[in-house]
Amino acid sequence: MKAWLIERRNDEAHIGMSDVPSPRMGPGDLLVRVRAIGVNRADLARRTGHYERLPASTDLPIPGLEMAGEVVALGQGVRGFHVGDRVMGLPAQAYAEQVVLQAAHALPVPAGLQWIEAAALPMAFLTAHNAMVTEGKVRRGDHVLVQGAATGVGMAAMQIARLQGAASIAGSASGGKLPKLAEYGLDHGFDYRTGDGVAQVLRASGGHGADVIIDMVGASAAASTLAAAAERARWIQVGRMGGGQATIDLDTMARKRLALIGVTFRTRSSDEIAALVSAARADLEEALASRRISLPVAKVFAFDEADEAQAFMRSGSYLGKIVLEGAKG
Ligand SMILES: NC(=O)c1ccc[n+]([C@@H]2O[C@H](COP(=O)([O-])OP(=O)(O)OC[C@H]3O[C@@H](n4cnc5c(N)ncnc54)[C@H](OP(=O)(O)O)[C@@H]3O)[C@@H](O)[C@H]2O)c1
């Protein structure tokens, strides 16, 4: 099959297309013909060696973490899926014609969704559901702050907060993107380049502060995140686009009795991912199928344009997910 591989040339990381053996399937696995692939920041990090290797079905350095496609074979003991089913999920090694995805990690693609739309969903919505609901414990009437509202995870998180009955949703993005983000649940947007948004959060919550903070930014926003947090807030650290080293006033943290919780797929066990997928399916399947929640697709690239797709992601000048079509043939 065709797959992209991470290669080192002249001491620099590149990706190049190769012919490689198909992945090996084990008990409980689905073999999936990939129809579309979501591009993620982790794909860029993996290329430069900053993303630890996930358990995978081949030893090849194939990038990619997210796809949608159809089941072509079932591993021993698989229940609930059939050959021909449309599925989406987070396999390792998604930049390929075929992937192995554990059945317990697979989500059905809702009828009526195109492959491109489906491949944009799993990473953002699974991450956001875990952060907002499981770790953030968002409740009806909560005030929410999303640092990085224009990210895929941010847009998914705001829609989940809406579904769960949040009272107000504040969030940071560059100014030009703020009006569009209202469609994805943002009530009180602020431009992080010209202000830190603390006043916005306090105004939106009647001085109470944010009960749940979903943070894709990290260091550059840490001081304002802490200042905007309500007493007993849950601050879920998801991404570090504004840097990974911050100084936090621990006295303020203690005074607010704040919970700071980090999340990542890199260290989760297979059982933990299965539980996360199952919780998200229970809460989100109907809303995804009826398109009450969705993500915009910023740009679609052909399978042989993966390098261009990653360069476009590095530019940062887009809103929504970047998706690769599956290999033709
Ligand atoms: N922990 C996990 O399990 C997990 C899972 C998925 C993703 N992540 C991480 O979460 C982050 C978001 O991923 P994604 O794929 O959703 O991102 P994405 O869709 O690629 O988002 C990119 C957008 O982030 C915005 N941004 C960049 N710097 C910012 C800043 N300092 N403040 C506010 N917004 C900023 C930019 O829009 P503007 O024009 O608004 O700047 C940019 O267009 C990444 O760091 C990713 O690695 C973590």
Side-chain angles (χ1 to χ4, degrees), residues 39-42 51 123-124 127 147-155 172-175 177 181 192-193 215-217 220-221 237-242 262-266 268 313 315-322:
V39 179
N40 284 284
R41 278 176 190 261
Y51 196 91
M123 181 63 86
T127 303
Q147 295 284 23
T151 63
V153 178
M155 285 187 277
S172 63
S174 59
K177 293 180 181 172
L181 292 172
Y192 63 91
R193 295 173 187 182
D215 177 19
M216 270 64 69
V217 176
S220 62
Q237 217 306 304
V238 177
R240 286 151 303 280
M241 290 188 310
V263 292
T264 180
F265 279 98
R266 283 172 288 171
R268 283 189 181 112
M313 172 163 268
S315 79
S317 57
Y318 58 88
L319 182 69
K321 291 286 294 191
I322 299 165

Side-chain angles (χ1 to χ4, degrees), residues 226 249-258:
L226 187 61
D249 178 350
L250 295 175
D251 189 52
T252 305
M253 198 168 158
R255 197 166 41 74
K256 292 192 173 185
R257 292 169 289 145
L258 192 76

Side-chain angles (χ1 to χ4, degrees), residues 194-327:
T194 53
D196 65 13
V198 177
Q200 281 272 25
V201 176
L202 293 177
R203 217 178 6 255
S205 60
H208 174 80
D211 301 293
V212 184
I213 298 144
I214 307 298
D215 177 19
M216 270 64 69
V217 176
S220 62
S224 56
T225 299
L226 187 61
E231 276 186 20
R232 308 207 62 156
R234 284 79 66 200
W235 172 358
I236 314 302
Q237 217 306 304
V238 177
R240 286 151 303 280
M241 290 188 310
Q245 304 283 324
T247 301
I248 296 174
D249 178 350
L250 295 175
D251 189 52
T252 305
M253 198 168 158
R255 197 166 41 74
K256 292 192 173 185
R257 292 169 289 145
L258 192 76
L260 171 54
I261 301 166
V263 292
T264 180
F265 279 98
R266 283 172 288 171
T267 50
R268 283 189 181 112
S269 68
S270 170
D271 285 351
E272 285 173 310
I273 296 175
L276 179 155
V277 168
S278 163
R281 281 186 65 173
D283 280 351
L284 303 182
E285 233 163 47
E286 186 279 324
L288 285 169
S290 63
R291 293 179 187 264
R292 271 200 297 150
I293 58 176
S294 64
L295 280 185
V297 172
K299 193 157 175 177
V300 179
F301 290 84
F303 184 68
D304 60 5
E305 294 174 327
D307 217 10
E308 289 86 338
Q310 293 194 350
F312 183 70
M313 172 163 268
R314 260 182 243 107
S315 79
S317 57
Y318 58 88
L319 182 69
K321 291 286 294 191
I322 299 165
V323 179
L324 291 180
E325 290 171 338

Side-chain angles (χ1 to χ4, degrees), residues 7 44 61 73 141 156 162 164 187 197 219 225 253 264 319:
E7 301 163 346
L44 308 182
R162 261 288 156 264
Q164 301 288 331
D187 300 312
T225 299
M253 198 168 158
T264 180
L319 182 69

